[in-house]
Amino acid sequence: MPQFVIERDMPGVGRLTPADLKGASQGSCNVLRDLPEVQWVHSYVTDDKIYCVYRAPNEDLIRRHAEIAGFPANSISVVRATIDPTTAE
């Protein structure tokens, strides 16, 4: 299944408390229950953005999840390859 990286512009998100992040995660998971073809892999929280990795059949379902959950999806990019230090070997 295709994998996507979603960039979410969310000024100040890095200052959210663990409880706030838990609430946001729960909101996302609640929406995902109604979109079983979409899988959230993980997210990286920075000062002003969240970068999320999702698996889904297409970008439209990623956008639908964002709209229903109330999260921005400023950029959605399909992952073409994954590399890490072992790629150099």
Side-chain angles (χ1 to χ4, degrees), residues 5-82:
V5 175
I6 301 99
E7 181 178 10
R8 305 183 192 282
D9 291 334
M10 301 177 71
V13 72
R15 292 187 300 272
L16 292 179
T17 67
D20 293 332
L21 293 173
K22 180 178 180 178
S25 297
Q26 290 171 335
S28 178
C29 289
N30 287 338
V31 174
L32 289 172
R33 285 188 190 94
D34 293 329
L35 295 172
E37 56 273 283
V38 179
Q39 179 186 9
W40 175 24
V41 178
H42 58 260
S43 298
Y44 301 97
V45 179
T46 66
D47 289 339
D48 296 310
K49 295 184 183 199
I50 298 180
Y51 299 90
C52 303
V53 178
Y54 277 72
R55 291 187 186 107
N58 57 61
E59 183 178 324
D60 290 338
L61 284 169
I62 300 291
R63 288 200 183 282
R64 185 169 170 206
H65 170 267
E67 289 171 11
I68 295 169
F71 298 126
N74 303 92
S75 171
I76 300 173
S77 301
V78 65
V79 175
R80 299 293 180 196
T82 302

